[in-house]
Structures are given as C-alpha cells and as structure tokens.
C-alpha cells in the first residue's frame, strides 16, 4: 500500500488542466471509497474513507479555487481530529480547516490509498501535471508546514508567499 491514512501531511505541486470535472489526487486501486479529490471547479476538496457516506467536504474560503493552467501548491494535513488544506497560488495563500466533531466519521479509521491520480472504478482521474510531491506519514507542525510551503514556492517560482 501507498499509505495508511492516520496522521499525515502531503504536499502537491500541480498544474491542473481541466477542473470542470472531479480530479482525483489520491485513491485506492481496490476501492472507490478511498480518495482525496477536488470538485466543483476546484473550489472544494473532498476526503472519503472506507465507506460511502464517510465523506468530508472542505470548501475553500471566499471565492478561492485551484487555478487551471497555473502552478498550485496544495497541502493536505491530518492530525488526530482535524484536516487542514492549504492552497498556495500565484494569487496568494488560502487555508481551510475541517474540525472533526463526529466520532463516527472516517477520521476514526485510516484511509488506504495506493495510487496518485486515479481511484478504482471511477472516471475522475487527475488531469494535469504533477511537478512534485512530498509526503509525511505523521502530523507536521504549523511552523514546518510553512517552511515546506516556502521552499516549494521558491523552487516553483511562486513568489507571493515569500
């Protein structure tokens, strides 16, 4: 397997080409119920674990969305109870946090993912360019998250963050 989804921190540097369809970032080759993907033209990030209905949908604040045909840096961070998504674009930074309050949700179980860009039985592959991926199988401090985002922004010429 790719990762058992307990605490984690993933960073993706991507250039999406078509956000009018769902774009799967991470999925399982054996189950369509395990995934992280963007939806609604890049305005929402959806997490699903184990079974249909154990969904978590984060809406990026305001009118912020992933930008097509431009470099975007996405961070997905999960610690014991919260999921945070940070988005860095040429337009600036966006942070959205989902706090887990229902103990019957998928946060109580790991999500098993072993593929980038696809999930079993679903026709919503990632459409774009993957420039870089950085993965940690543990929670990362906020200070370290910012440092990694700064390094990635510098490396990929997104200077608004620095």
């Amino acid at each position: 397997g790719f990762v058992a989804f307990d605490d984690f921190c993933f960073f993706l540097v991507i250039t999406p080409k078509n956000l009018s369809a769902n774009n799967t970032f991470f999925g399982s080759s054996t189950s369509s119920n395990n995934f992280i993907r963007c939806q609604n033209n890049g305005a929402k990030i959806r997490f699903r674990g184990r079974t249909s209905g154990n969904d978590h949908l984060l809406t990026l604040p305001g009118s912020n969305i992933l930008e097509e045909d431009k470099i975007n840096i996405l961070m997905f961070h999960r610690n014991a109870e919260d999921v945070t998504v940070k988005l860095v674009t040429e337009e600036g930074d966006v942070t959205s946090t989902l706090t887990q309050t229902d103990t019957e949700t998928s946060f109580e179980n790991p999500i098993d993912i072993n593929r980038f860009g696809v999930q079993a039985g679903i026709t919503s592959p990632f459409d774009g360019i993957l420039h870089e991926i950085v993965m940690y199988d543990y929670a990362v401090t906020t200070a370290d998250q910012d440092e990694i985002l700064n390094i990635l922004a510098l490396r990929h010429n997104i200077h608004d963050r620095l």
Side-chain angles (χ1 to χ4, degrees):
F2 195 68
V3 68
F5 213 114
D6 286 315
D7 291 352
F8 67 88
C9 194
F10 302 155
F11 297 85
L12 292 176
V13 182
I14 57 172
T15 301
K17 296 296 181 186
N18 178 11
L19 292 171
S20 63
N22 293 338
N23 273 255
T24 299
F25 298 122
F26 297 103
S28 169
S29 61
T30 58
S31 170
S32 62
N33 288 324
N34 292 281
F35 62 77
I36 302 173
R37 70 179 181 211
C38 73
Q39 297 181 193
N40 299 76
N41 297 311
K44 296 179 185 277
I45 304 294
R46 187 173 193 174
F47 293 79
R48 179 182 287 170
R50 304 277 174 160
T51 59
S52 179
N54 278 342
D55 287 49
H56 303 287
L57 191 61
L58 271 72
T59 301
L60 296 173
S63 60
N64 296 290
I65 61 171
L66 289 165
E67 297 178 341
E68 276 187 5
D69 298 314
K70 295 183 180 179
I71 292 179
N72 297 258
I73 302 172
L74 270 168
M75 183 204 77
F76 306 107
H77 183 267
R78 182 204 187 259
N79 62 17
E81 295 184 348
D82 302 327
V83 171
T84 300
V85 173
K86 291 185 180 181
L87 170 64
V88 178
T89 69
E90 293 177 10
E91 303 300 318
D93 293 11
V94 178
T95 300
S96 184
T97 300
L98 177 69
T99 301
Q100 192 279 93
T101 56
D102 178 0
T103 58
E104 299 302 314
T105 65
S106 64
F107 288 135
E108 292 300 306
N109 297 309
I111 298 174
D112 296 319
I113 55 176
N114 61 4
R115 297 285 186 267
F116 174 80
V118 294
Q119 68 193 85
I122 303 295
T123 57
S124 56
F126 174 69
D127 184 7
I129 300 167
L130 170 65
H131 299 279
E132 186 169 357
I133 185 169
V134 179
M135 300 180 75
Y136 298 91
D137 62 356
Y138 54 87
V140 175
T141 68
T142 301
D144 287 344
Q145 291 171 25
D146 287 339
E147 184 175 346
I148 294 164
L149 287 168
N150 282 332
I151 290 167
L152 292 172
L154 181 62
R155 185 179 298 153
H156 295 280
N157 295 318
I158 300 177
H159 298 288
D160 288 342
R161 177 156 180 75
L162 301 174

